[in-house]
Amino acid sequence: EGSVRIEFYDTREVALEELRNKVSNLLQESVLFTTTVRENIRYGRLDATDEEVEESARAAGAHEFIMALPEGYDTELGARGDTLSGGQRQRIAIARAMVRNSPVIILDEPTTGLDPASRELVQDSLETLTDGRTTLAITHDLAMIRGLDRLLWLEDGRIVEDGSPAELLAAPDSRIAHWARAQEEHTREAV
């Protein structure tokens, strides 16, 4: 029931390959390959120049740590990028999405499992990535929710709440307000 439209086009009426070319995904566990840092970023757009790869890494906040690697951008990564920290892997994945330059970004829990310092660096890179782009964020991160323009609460495949985060968080009986209070209480108890 209903439809998903991107730039007024019903996604059911667009060729799948064309739709995929318009979207970049950033997942909780980003996939990196056993190849160089440069090639991992270039995977976002195979015809990207070295300059575009490095420009994307700078924008993603990754250039500095990449240059500190033994061979910089030509450093070969271990399986699944396990030679990097979680925050470093996410910033390489963000650089990959930046070099792709898609008008639509899908974020699926991109800051989950990161320590506070890495989370802040990744969040800054995400703000750069999503600036001026349509972004769909799937998240349980209260900080990320507060930065959204529109929030949809889904249950059993149906939209049960729809509005700005500020208005939904201010409505005392909304699901999002109940959830946010529980999250804040849990955080206080953990400290």
Side-chain angles (χ1 to χ4, degrees):
E1 187 176 316
S3 66
V4 174
R5 295 179 177 272
I6 298 177
E7 297 177 0
F8 306 105
Y9 295 99
D10 187 325
T11 55
R12 294 173 294 195
E13 297 172 8
V14 177
L16 188 56
E17 184 177 347
E18 186 177 340
L19 181 61
R20 285 182 177 154
N21 287 333
K22 302 283 186 200
V23 177
S24 288
N25 296 304
L26 189 63
L27 309 174
Q28 177 178 342
E29 188 68 33
S30 293
V31 177
L32 297 182
F33 303 101
T34 308
T35 186
T36 66
V37 171
R38 183 181 320 277
E39 291 307 310
N40 267 284
I41 295 171
R42 185 174 279 128
Y43 186 72
R45 197 180 86 239
L46 298 176
D47 65 345
T49 65
D50 286 350
E51 292 77 24
E52 289 171 320
V53 166
E54 291 182 25
E55 181 181 315
S56 294
R58 279 187 175 86
H63 179 75
E64 198 170 296
F65 83 77
I66 292 170
M67 293 307 294
L69 295 172
E71 295 178 53
Y73 283 86
D74 295 319
T75 300
E76 188 102 6
L77 296 180
R80 299 174 51 96
D82 66 359
T83 53
L84 302 174
S85 72
Q88 290 171 330
R89 285 192 303 270
Q90 282 300 66
R91 285 182 281 155
I92 294 225
I94 291 168
R96 179 188 295 162
M98 286 184 176
V99 83
R100 186 171 175 83
N101 199 24
S102 301
V104 178
I105 307 294
I106 298 175
L107 304 176
D108 187 358
E109 301 284 4
T111 58
T112 298
L114 299 178
D115 63 79
S118 295
R119 176 186 221 115
E120 187 174 328
L121 290 169
V122 168
Q123 190 63 43
D124 289 345
S125 298
L126 288 173
E127 287 176 21
T128 302
L129 171 65
T130 60
D131 186 40
R133 301 175 203 273
T134 298
T135 304
L136 304 171
I138 302 158
T139 187
H140 291 93
D141 182 350
L142 189 54
M144 183 176 282
I145 287 171
R146 288 194 165 109
L148 302 175
D149 296 321
R150 182 176 176 193
L151 188 144
L152 302 174
W153 184 279
L154 303 173
E155 283 183 16
D156 299 321
R158 302 185 67 73
I159 298 170
V160 295
E161 288 185 359
D162 180 358
S164 75
E167 71 185 26
L168 291 174
L169 287 166
D173 293 330
S174 74
R175 286 170 170 85
I176 189 67
H178 284 287
W179 175 80
R181 285 191 296 272
Q183 292 295 312
E184 289 167 347
E185 187 176 307
H186 177 71
T187 301
R188 279 193 301 272
E189 289 173 1
V191 175

